[in-house]
Amino acid sequence: MIETTDAAVRAAGRHALRGDLLDFPSQPVWGELDSDAVRFLPDHWLLIEQGRIVGTQAEAPDDSWMRHDHRGCLILPGFIDTHVHAPQLDVIASFGTELLDWLNTYTFPAEQRYADPLIARQGAERFMDALLAHGTTAAVVFPTVHKVAAQALFEAAQARGMRLIAGKVLMDRHAPEGLRDDVAQAERDCVDLIDRFHGRGRLAYAVTVRFAPTSTPAQLAMAGALCRADASLYMQTHVAENRAEVAWVAQLFPDARSYLDVYDREGLLHPKAVLAHGIWLDDADRQALAGRGAQLAFCPSSNLFLGSGLFDWGAARRAGVQVSAASDVGGGTSLSMQKTLADAYKVQSLQGQRLDAWSALYTATHGAAKALGLDGEIGHFGRGAVADVCVWHWAVGGVAQARMERVRNLHEKVFAWLTLSDERNLVSAWVAGRERFRP
């Protein structure tokens, strides 16, 4: 409920959201259910001015604020999805393949269509709206090999004020006609896109290597040179997702110590590198990731759906590797970060580990922001943070409501919400202090 509609108040850009505020000023200790890293402010007001968070308070603010009364609802920072494929919405929930067959049977044909500027623009807009409809306000995204697809994605994010990290996909071999580039043209396209979009508003460019098999050594070297030339650029790729893929990389790059080493020796591992999956890594790989400050994007739903394997979060944690959460749609089956994190719990359970709600939600909010070097901007309710905020119903439907009536403590309540909720629970999504989605 909005308690004032005064035009002068609207113009001032001062919004106050009432609800149960939950965020994580610091990283929770894995398995610690009574955690000092959790900030929970039941029935409080979140104050937003000119797109940024300026404070929280228990009492209602005065009439100079537009008051949005969501009492009884959960208010969280917007989710951050660190690995997702925009064009793969077209093939989500496709049957019967593992990774390499998935690419050839479903993904590559879908991506070929994005050479058409109209399809690229429509697809980008549909994708960005779908993120917001699932409570995701920032993302690290793969478009396609086509320059026009990357441009359309940047423009769609910019129009919505969203934080986006993306880049034209690099593929100059082992891909069908219409999805291959060449080193010289790819470099020109990257440089032009960097000049036009990197650092403009809330956009950032990621040097985007599809995965090692679809780039020649010359293209990988070019990608590394781009990263060395500008340390503010991100890098995104896939690594060690599937055993057949790992074996193929070993054949293509016999001089490399490991799949990860293919990237490392070209200078592609650095603090702004996001590598998806990382299931089939060894201890030396994890040490390299930790030493370079690179992060792994854990994609549990996709790993289960494609039968890729079980990510060992405990081993990554012990090695000091930063881990963030990612939907990996369309290998993943939903853009919902709750469903993604619920699957993460199951993956860890199969390995004798128990993922608590605090560690899970931190990974998709403040933890992801920190791993991306964006914790000064997003992922929490600290003063000065950009107001990317989502409001959620605690329970939707009789089963969830009955469960909520029986919770014994805060962690149990939040864990039940995390496990039973999805996009149907979303009340409102705000981006930089503006409401951008309401069902």
Side-chain angles (χ1 to χ4, degrees), residues 30 286 311-321 323 348 351 353:
W30 184 287
R286 296 185 189 97
F311 175 71
D312 190 341
W313 199 338
R317 191 173 69 253
R318 289 189 295 273
V321 179
V323 177
Q348 299 314 302
Q351 301 170 88
Q353 304 175 46

Side-chain angles (χ1 to χ4, degrees), residues 11 72 76 86 97 103 116 119 134 140 150 164 182 200 230 269 293 308 338 353 377-378:
L76 286 169
T97 61
L103 293 174
D116 183 325
I119 290 174
H134 288 78
V140 183
L164 175 74
D182 62 70
R200 304 298 173 91
D230 185 349
L269 297 189
S308 299
Q338 296 103 300
Q353 304 175 46
E377 176 189 338
I378 54 176

Side-chain angles (χ1 to χ4, degrees), residues 77-255:
F79 286 129
I80 304 165
D81 191 338
T82 58
H83 178 73
V84 59
H85 294 261
Q88 290 190 32
L89 281 184
D90 297 348
V91 295
I92 191 172
S94 293
F95 171 76
T97 61
E98 291 188 1
L99 173 64
L100 299 180
D101 288 338
W102 163 270
L103 293 174
N104 291 318
T105 304
Y106 299 118
T107 299
F108 288 159
E111 292 188 359
Q112 284 174 309
R113 299 176 61 245
Y114 280 69
D116 183 325
L118 178 60
I119 290 174
R121 179 174 59 80
Q122 292 173 339
E125 292 179 352
R126 180 172 61 251
F127 173 77
M128 300 309 295
D129 286 341
L131 287 181
L132 290 175
H134 288 78
T136 295
T137 55
V140 183
V141 184
F142 271 64
T144 70
V145 73
H146 313 103
K147 181 182 179 183
V148 67
Q151 176 180 320
L153 196 62
F154 280 125
E155 290 173 347
Q158 193 167 44
R160 290 156 179 79
M162 296 173 69
R163 163 55 75 179
L164 175 74
I165 299 169
K168 182 202 111 60
V169 176
L170 300 175
M171 295 198 296
D172 67 343
R173 65 171 175 174
H174 298 145
E177 187 67 31
L179 285 181
R180 293 191 303 273
D181 53 18
D182 62 70
V183 175
Q185 185 60 53
E187 183 175 22
R188 287 192 292 271
D189 288 346
C190 288
V191 170
D192 182 59
L193 290 166
I194 291 166
D195 289 344
R196 294 174 61 190
F197 296 108
H198 183 58
R200 304 298 173 91
R202 304 187 72 193
L203 308 177
Y205 195 84
V207 176
T208 302
V209 177
R210 181 49 167 271
F211 67 155
T214 49
S215 285
T216 60
Q219 187 171 71
L220 292 172
M222 181 271 287
L226 287 174
C227 290
R228 287 190 296 274
D230 185 349
S232 71
L233 295 175
Y234 288 85
M235 194 286 297
Q236 61 175 340
T237 191
H238 302 79
V239 67
E241 177 178 359
N242 169 283
R243 282 175 288 190
E245 169 208 17
V246 173
W248 190 20
V249 171
Q251 294 174 357
L252 293 172
F253 299 90
D255 295 335

